[in-house]
Structures are given as structure tokens and as C-alpha cells.
């Protein structure tokens, strides 16, 4: 069989397999909350979930489109199917695939890169699954400790801890994009305290403001 | 049995574990196909072995970092669901944000003490729905998009795409940091400065830890430390919250 035939066959199989497993994963992930709910004797509150989606989900939908457009050329078809199924793209899969590409000395856009990328993401995902499984196995005996009242403030402050760390990470390199959204949002929450429990609805306007500033900066840099 | 105990019961482990096993099998199939195709088109098996070794060793440290995310979320959502979410499809920074947003919509804070069965299933559903769009796009557009890319030989995506994504995250982060400031200044009435300072102080502690870890990682070129910095900063912030809770 010629190289072209092998590649054509591999690509056709990758798309067929990728679509089937993506569809199955979607069904499993959406079905899981209902299945868990049936064991608990409750069901998800669909109107609340719909409100939540309007508040939080739209931002992530836009983010998903950008991720798809940006990362698919880097990962190739097989790597892309697998990376979007297994997640942790920015903090693991993308650097892993790029590292593998450099090690193999292959160029982006080639079939070799497609193979290297798919292999590296598959291995990375398997290692993650294994590490987390071992970790969770050892975590169960720790559950009473994790739920102790002394540690409750720590778990109640997970979100501020996350955003504090992220704020430093993103602000330090993009201070010009960060100043106005931070000032505007702080003013909103100070002047309208009732919105403090509804932070998620302000994500879209804040994100929109930051994207507008980014676009102006992008255009200015292009013209310079 | 409390809701949190129910959320860590064997049957929930079975449901989440089965999905993880399915995804692991998918990874094995993709890896074997890629390996065989590589050999078939004449790639050196030694290079492919190196890819496997390098990718495996690279992934261990970030995976341990992700495990800390499972621990962080387990207090509010039990162990199996965060285990599933962070093993498959999820991302450390995404899960907490969406879980928090979803918790607001069902009228609770993201904590084990306030969690109910209905709230959990709603949060879990929203966590799944919000992150599924990358997969949906792959399902319908991957083939067309990658074919078009190969025709045009274009690589890397648009530079504004990267910038827009960064900007969007800055917007997200700004909302939450702004809310912590608002909680302190106007939490008990506009400009009373008597609201809770704990979220703001926790965020500042985590940011300080991130600054320190980033500086160390950059100065000594410690790539592994960069992988851990987010999770370690979060843990430091959470530890500070326990100590600060006694004084603020």
C-alpha cells in the first residue's frame, strides 16, 4: 500500500472514530447528571441550568469556538478529537503535543505531526487518568478530614483562591487590558451590592469590554 | 447520610468510573492507531517510543497538580464527580468557575454544607453543557476545517484569536476580583467597609503565592514548577483562608 493510501485510510478512520467517540462522550457526559440524580431521587433543575447557561455558558461557548479554531491547526484532526474529549488543553495537552513535535522534529501541518500529536495526547491523557485514579483511591480515607469544620473556610474560598492566582497570571502580562474591566467591575459591585451574589451575569459584559480593548490594541499594533 | 456522603457513594463511583474507563479505552485505540500509522508511513519506532516516554513523563507532574483540583472541589461536590470532570474533558480553571456560577443560579454557595441533591445535579449538568462546545464543533466541523487547513497549508490560527481568549479570561477574572472588593466595601451597605474581607484576602494570598512561584520558576527555569504553580497557589490561598477566618 502506498504512503498516500495509508494516510487517506488513516484519516478516514480517524474522522469516523473521532465522531463516534465524541458523540458517545457527549451522551455520557450529559446523561451522567441525570443518572446520578436518579440514584439520589432528584433531577436537575432545568430552568436554573438554563439561567446558568445564559450567565456562564455563553462565555464558554465563545471560548470553545476560539479554542477550536486556534488549537485544531496545532493538533491535527486526531489530536483535536482526543484533546477536546480529554480536556486540560492549555495546562497540559497543547504543551505536551508541541513538546512531542519538537522532540520528533516534525513540522506542523504534516501527517507525521498529526501522528505525533495524537500519540502524545493519548499518552498524556492515559497518564492523567492513571494518576488521578491512584490519587482518588488514596483520597477516600481522607474524606472525613476534608469535611472537617476547621477546613471548611478553605473549601469555601476555593474560588477566590483560584481567581487570585489567575489574576496575577493574566494581569501581569496584559495590564493594559485588565485595568478597565477591573475598575468597571469593582465600581459596579461597590455601587450595586445586590449584584454581588450574581457575579456570573457580569462575565459577558466584562469579557466583551476586555475583548474590545484587545481588538483596539491588536488594530493599533497592526497599523504600527 | 448527608448529600456529600451520598455523592461519594459506591454507585456514583461506578457511574463516573465507567465513563473514565471508556475514555481511557478511547485513548488506547487512538494511540495504537497513531503508532501503527506512523510505522506504516516509515517513521522511526525509536522516535515514536521517545514521544511516548516524553509525553508520559511530562504529564505526571501536571496530573498531580490536577489531582489537587479534585481535592479542592471534593469538599463541595464529593469525590467522584470532580474526579470524572478533571480526568475527562474538564480543566482546572474551568470547573470551579462554572460550578460557582451554577451554584449561584440554584441559590447556594459552592460548599458542602449548602449542597443538596437537586443543586448538585443542576451544577453537574451545567458543568457538562458549558464545556461541551469544543466537542460539538469537532463533531460537525473537524473534517471540513482540517481539510481546508491542509489545502491552505495554514498553521497556528489567528493571532487575534489568542488575544481574544486572553482578554475574555481577563474579563472573567475581573468580575470575580471586583466582586470580592465589593463584598468588603459594600457587603453590608454601600461604602460601609464592614463586609467580609476573607475572599479578597484569600485572592491576594493566592496572587502573592503565584507571583513568588512564577518568579522562582522563571529565575531558575523550573518548567515543572510552572505546571504546579496554579494548584499550589490555590492551596496556599485556601490555607491562608483557614488562618484568616479566625481573625477577620
Amino acid at each position: 500500500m502506498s504512503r498516500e493510501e495509508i494516510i487517506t485510510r488513516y484519516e478516514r478512520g480517524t474522522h469516523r472514530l473521532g465522531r463516534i467517540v465524541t458523540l458517545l462522550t457527549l451522551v455520557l457526559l450529559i446523561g451522567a447528571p441525570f443518572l446520578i440524580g436518579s440514584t439520589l431521587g432528584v433531577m436537575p433543575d432545568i430552568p436554573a441550568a438554563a439561567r446558568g447557561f445564559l450567565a456562564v455558558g455563553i462565555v464558554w461557548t465563545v471560548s470553545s469556538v476560539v479554542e477550536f479554531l486556534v488549537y485544531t491547526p496545532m493538533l491535527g484532526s486526531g489530536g483535536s478529537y482526543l484533546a477536546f474529549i480529554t480536556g486540560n488543553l492549555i495546562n497540559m495537552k497543547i504543551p505536551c503535543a508541541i513538546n512531542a513535535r519538537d522532540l520528533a522534529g516534525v513540522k506542523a501541518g504534516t501527517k507525521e505531526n498529526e501522528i505525533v500529536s495524537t500519540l502524545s495526547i493519548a499518552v498524556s491523557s492515559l497518564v492523567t487518568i492513571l494518576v488521578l485514579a491512584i490519587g482518588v483511591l488514596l483520597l477516600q480515607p481522607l474524606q472525613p478530614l476534608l469535611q472537617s469544620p476547621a477546613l471548611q473556610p478553605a473549601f469555601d474560598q476555593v474560588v477566590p483562591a483560584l481567581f487570585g492566582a489567575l489574576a496575577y497570571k493574566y494581569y501581569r502580562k496584559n495590564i493594559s487590558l485588565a485595568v478597565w474591566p477591573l475598575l468597571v467591575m469593582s465600581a459596579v459591585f461597590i455601587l450595586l451590592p445586590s449584584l454581588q451574589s450574581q457575579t456570573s451575569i457580569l462575565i459577558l459584559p466584562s469579557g466583551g469590554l476586555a475583548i474590545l480593548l484587545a481588538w483596539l490594541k491588536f488594530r493599533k499594533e497592526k497599523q504600527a | 447520610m448527608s448529600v456529600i456522603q451520598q455523592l461519594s457513594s459506591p454507585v456514583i463511583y461506578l457511574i463516573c468510573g465507567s465513563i473514565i474507563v471508556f475514555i481511557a479505552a478511547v485513548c488506547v485505540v487512538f494511540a495504537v492507531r497513531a503508532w501503527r500509522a506512523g510505522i506504516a508511513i516509515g517513521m522511526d519506532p525509536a522516535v515514536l517510543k521517545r514521544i511516548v516516554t516524553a509525553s508520559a513523563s511530562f504529564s505526571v507532574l501536571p496530573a498531580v497538580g490536577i489531582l489537587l483540583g479534585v481535592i479542592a472541589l471534593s469538599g463541595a461536590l464529593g469525590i467522584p464527580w470532580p474526579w470524572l470532570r478533571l480526568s475527562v474533558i474538564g480543566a482546572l480553571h474551568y470547573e470551579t468557575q462554572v460550578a460557582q456560577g451554577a451554584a449561584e443560579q440554584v441559590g447556594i454557595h459552592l460548599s458542602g454544607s449548602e449542597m443538596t441533591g437537586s443543586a448538585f445535579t443542576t451544577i453537574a449538568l451545567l458543568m457538562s453543557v458549558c464545556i461541551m462546545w469544543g466537542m460539538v464543533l469537532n463533531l460537525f466541523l473537524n473534517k471540513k476545517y482540517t481539510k481546508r487547513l491542509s489545502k491552505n497549508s495554514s498553521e497556528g490560527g489567528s493571532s487575534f484569536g489568542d488575544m481574544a481568549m486572553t482578554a475574555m479570561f481577563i474579563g472573567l477574572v475581573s468580575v470575580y476580583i471586583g466582586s470580592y472588593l465589593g463584598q468588603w466595601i459594600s457587603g453590608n451597605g454601600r461604602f460601609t467597609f464592614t463586609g467580609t474581607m476573607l475572599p479578597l484576602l484569600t485572592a491576594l494570598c493566592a496572587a502573592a503565592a503565584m507571583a513568588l512561584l512564577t518568579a522562582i520558576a522563571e529565575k531558575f527555569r523550573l518548567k515543572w514548577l510552572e505546571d504546579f504553580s496554579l494548584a499550589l497557589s490555590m492551596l496556599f490561598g485556601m490555607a491562608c483562608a483557614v488562618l484568616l477566618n479566625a481573625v477577620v
Side-chain angles (χ1 to χ4, degrees), chain A residues 45 69 85 88 124 156 190 199 206, chain B residues 89-90 104 111 122 145 171 186:
Chain A
D45 179 348
L69 293 173
I85 288 172
N88 283 301
S124 175
D156 287 344
I190 290 167
T199 41
S206 180
Chain B
I89 203 181
E104 279 180 12
S111 83
T122 307
Y145 188 38
S186 300

Side-chain angles (χ1 to χ4, degrees), chain A residues 167 170-182 217, chain B residues 170:
Chain A
Y170 283 97
Y171 285 2
R172 69 188 282 256
K173 287 182 180 167
N174 303 283
I175 197 69
S176 62
L177 298 183
V179 170
W180 282 107
L182 183 59
K217 188 180 170 187
Chain B
I170 286 172

Side-chain angles (χ1 to χ4, degrees), chain B residues 112-132:
Chain B
S113 54
E114 292 186 37
M115 191 57 63
T116 64
S118 174
F120 171 81
T121 52
T122 307
I123 291 168
L125 179 63
L126 199 54
M127 286 167 88
S128 296
V129 169
C130 287
I131 207 170
M132 72 181 188

Side-chain angles (χ1 to χ4, degrees), chain B residues 5-247:
Chain B
Q5 284 170 325
Q6 284 180 297
L7 293 176
S8 295
S9 65
V11 69
I12 310 291
Y13 270 102
L14 185 67
I15 292 168
C16 296
S18 304
I19 299 173
I20 292 169
V21 168
F22 167 73
I23 301 296
V26 168
C27 292
V28 171
V29 171
F30 268 87
V32 169
R33 288 186 76 253
W35 180 283
R36 284 181 180 163
I39 299 291
I41 62 167
M43 289 180 78
D44 184 352
V47 170
L48 295 177
K49 272 185 194 165
R50 209 174 147 214
I51 299 306
V52 171
T53 313
S55 300
S57 55
F58 168 86
S59 303
V60 172
L61 290 178
V64 177
I66 292 167
L67 177 65
L68 298 178
V70 176
I71 295 173
L73 283 169
S74 66
L77 301 173
I79 297 173
W81 185 255
W83 173 40
L84 168 64
R85 296 305 319 216
L86 288 165
S87 296
V88 181
I89 203 181
L92 188 57
H93 63 280
Y94 161 86
E95 300 298 339
T96 317
Q97 288 173 22
V98 175
Q100 173 70 20
E104 279 180 12
Q105 297 305 320
V106 293
I108 64 164
H109 290 101
L110 189 62
S111 83
S113 54
E114 292 186 37
M115 191 57 63
T116 64
S118 174
F120 171 81
T121 52
T122 307
I123 291 168
L125 179 63
L126 199 54
M127 286 167 88
S128 296
V129 169
C130 287
I131 207 170
M132 72 181 188
W133 303 106
M135 281 198 291
V136 172
L137 287 168
N138 259 305
L139 188 63
F140 294 108
L141 298 176
N142 184 308
K143 194 173 180 179
K144 277 183 192 166
Y145 188 38
T146 49
K147 272 194 173 172
R148 193 171 169 181
L149 285 167
S150 352
K151 271 185 192 165
N152 298 340
S153 300
S154 63
E155 298 162 12
S158 90
S159 52
F160 183 68
D162 277 334
M163 212 168 166
M165 200 160 68
T166 305
M168 192 181 293
F169 274 111
I170 286 172
L172 265 168
V173 172
S174 300
V175 169
Y176 284 88
I177 300 296
S179 79
Y180 305 145
L181 200 64
Q183 281 174 40
W184 170 46
I185 296 174
S186 300
N188 291 329
R190 219 170 282 163
F191 294 107
T192 53
F193 290 87
T194 56
T196 177
M197 289 176 74
L198 197 55
L200 184 63
L201 292 175
T202 304
L204 286 173
C205 289
M210 191 71 173
L212 182 66
L213 291 170
T214 305
I216 293 170
E218 284 178 356
K219 184 167 173 132
F220 298 103
R221 295 181 182 179
L222 302 174
K223 278 276 174 199
W224 64 267
L225 190 58
E226 285 176 16
D227 296 332
F228 274 111
S229 59
L230 180 59
L232 284 175
S233 303
M234 280 175 73
L235 270 192
F236 180 74
M238 289 160 72
C240 289
V242 172
L243 300 173
L244 291 166
N245 187 51
V247 290

Side-chain angles (χ1 to χ4, degrees), chain A residues 211-221, chain B residues 160 163:
Chain A
I211 288 174
L212 176 67
L213 293 168
W215 171 247
L216 294 173
K217 188 180 170 187
F218 179 73
R219 212 174 54 172
K220 198 175 167 185
E221 282 172 0
Chain B
F160 183 68
M163 212 168 166

Side-chain angles (χ1 to χ4, degrees), chain A residues 117-166:
Chain A
S117 159
T118 305
L119 188 60
S120 68
I121 291 169
V123 170
S124 175
S125 303
L126 284 168
V127 170
T128 307
I129 288 172
L130 190 67
V131 169
L132 290 196
I134 294 168
V136 164
L137 212 62
L138 301 173
L139 203 65
Q140 179 75 334
L142 293 174
Q143 185 75 337
L145 178 70
L146 296 174
Q147 288 176 251
S148 70
L151 290 180
Q152 208 54 54
F155 292 118
D156 287 344
Q157 299 301 323
V158 173
V159 180
L162 172 73
F163 282 112
L166 282 178

